[in-house]
Amino acid sequence: MKHAPFIAVEGPIGAGKTTLASMLSTELHMPIIKEIVEENPFLDKFYQNIDEWSFQLEMFFLCNRYKQLEDTGLQYLEKAQPVISDYHIYKNLIFAERTLKGIKLEKYRKIYHLLTDDMPKPDIIIYIRADLDTLLGRIRKRARSFEQEMDPAYLEQLIKDYDKGIQFLAEQSPAPRILTIDGNEIDFVENQAQFEQIVSDVKELIQ
Ligand SMILES: Nc1ncnc2c1ncn2[C@@H]1O[C@H](COP(=O)(O)OP(=O)(O)O)[C@@H](O)[C@H]1O
Ligand SMILES: Nc1nc2c(ncn2[C@H]2C[C@H](O)[C@@H](COP(=O)(O)O)O2)c(=O)[nH]1
């Protein structure tokens, strides 16, 4: 059976993942898998006290994404149907390595690998990079109340963690194809030509 592309859009908080994944889903007629944010009962508490709530939050994200990935495999990939997601499962580890410590991090790593090592992984990653000011501006624009007090130092650290995380994924075998987008300069929302260029680049990667 022909292999169907599994595309993940990644980047730090506010980079534009959901926006771009939704636009590409419409343009390329691909179903979209979106992460669960608003229904997450721990996000609010997490931003008020990261040390207190990080384990619950990371486990919640992990379990939700595990279920979504399982469904994605059954509903689309095993039927050779392409799919686009607004995250890569590896994002769990990028965040957990930053928010967890000690024995909780050790336990989390084991559970992460147990759950995800044999799961389907995206073969194409669209990585949106953006600097702190751009991300803070977009987070303000999105206006989720629980994100407004986010410590800029946390976001700045995540920008670096993401660069390392995507580099790590690029070195895996088989290596995913990675399209990096400069989110400071490329405005796929307002600039149609720039969006079309991304569509054309993605089509090339799919072939
Ligand atoms: N290229 C862009 N130019 C301007 N605004 C953008 C752009 N990409 C995203 N946005 C806006 O920034 C906010 C965050 O985008 P979102 O897609 O939710 O980011 P993410 O899923 O990466 O956290 C939204 O309000 C969205 O409309
Ligand atoms: N600690 C973690 N926080 C996460 C994780 N995945 C998402 N998030 C947070 C970041 C945002 O406040 C919100 C939505 O994420 P977006 O990147 O889509 O804006 O949820 C995670 O795994 N751990």
Side-chain angles (χ1 to χ4, degrees), residues 146-161:
F146 54 80
E147 288 176 345
Q148 301 312 307
E149 301 305 317
M150 189 185 304
D151 182 355
Y154 171 67
L155 192 53
E156 186 146 42
Q157 187 58 63
L158 280 175
I159 293 171
K160 293 180 191 143
D161 294 341

Side-chain angles (χ1 to χ4, degrees), residues 13-14 17 35 37 43 46-47 57-58 61 65 91-92 95 99 142 144 146-147 154:
I13 306 167
K17 299 179 290 296
E35 86 177 341
V37 176
L43 262 175
F46 170 82
Y47 281 114
L57 181 78
E58 305 310 348
F61 272 120
R65 291 181 184 138
K91 141 180 218 180
N92 286 288
F95 276 90
T99 67
R142 181 164 66 188
R144 284 184 187 140
F146 54 80
E147 288 176 345
Y154 171 67

Side-chain angles (χ1 to χ4, degrees), residues 11-20 86 138-139 141-142 144 183 186-190:
I13 306 167
K17 299 179 290 296
T18 308
T19 306
L20 182 58
D86 70 351
R138 301 229 169 110
I139 290 167
K141 181 175 169 192
R142 181 164 66 188
R144 284 184 187 140
I186 307 287
D187 186 341
F188 43 78
V189 176
E190 299 293 339

Side-chain angles (χ1 to χ4, degrees), residues 99-202:
T99 67
L100 300 177
K101 298 185 194 79
I103 190 74
K104 285 184 180 166
L105 177 56
E106 280 174 38
K107 285 183 182 178
Y108 182 91
R109 279 190 190 128
K110 283 184 192 156
I111 301 167
Y112 171 84
H113 287 296
L114 201 66
L115 289 182
T116 67
D117 281 357
D118 61 350
M119 298 300 272
K121 303 286 183 321
D123 36 50
I124 296 174
I125 300 173
I126 303 172
Y127 176 37
I128 310 172
R129 296 188 76 238
D131 63 25
L132 185 62
D133 286 345
T134 303
L135 297 178
L136 286 172
R138 301 229 169 110
I139 290 167
R140 265 195 300 275
K141 181 175 169 192
R142 181 164 66 188
R144 284 184 187 140
S145 56
F146 54 80
E147 288 176 345
Q148 301 312 307
E149 301 305 317
M150 189 185 304
D151 182 355
Y154 171 67
L155 192 53
E156 186 146 42
Q157 187 58 63
L158 280 175
I159 293 171
K160 293 180 191 143
D161 294 341
Y162 256 100
D163 276 341
K164 282 192 201 141
I166 300 295
Q167 184 56 40
F168 172 81
L169 291 175
E171 289 162 6
Q172 299 309 293
S173 178
R177 281 153 286 167
I178 299 180
L179 172 65
T180 301
I181 293 174
D182 181 346
N184 302 313
E185 300 295 332
I186 307 287
D187 186 341
F188 43 78
V189 176
E190 299 293 339
N191 188 322
Q192 181 65 16
Q194 290 184 335
F195 175 62
E196 280 166 14
Q197 182 59 52
I198 294 173
V199 172
S200 153
D201 291 345
V202 171

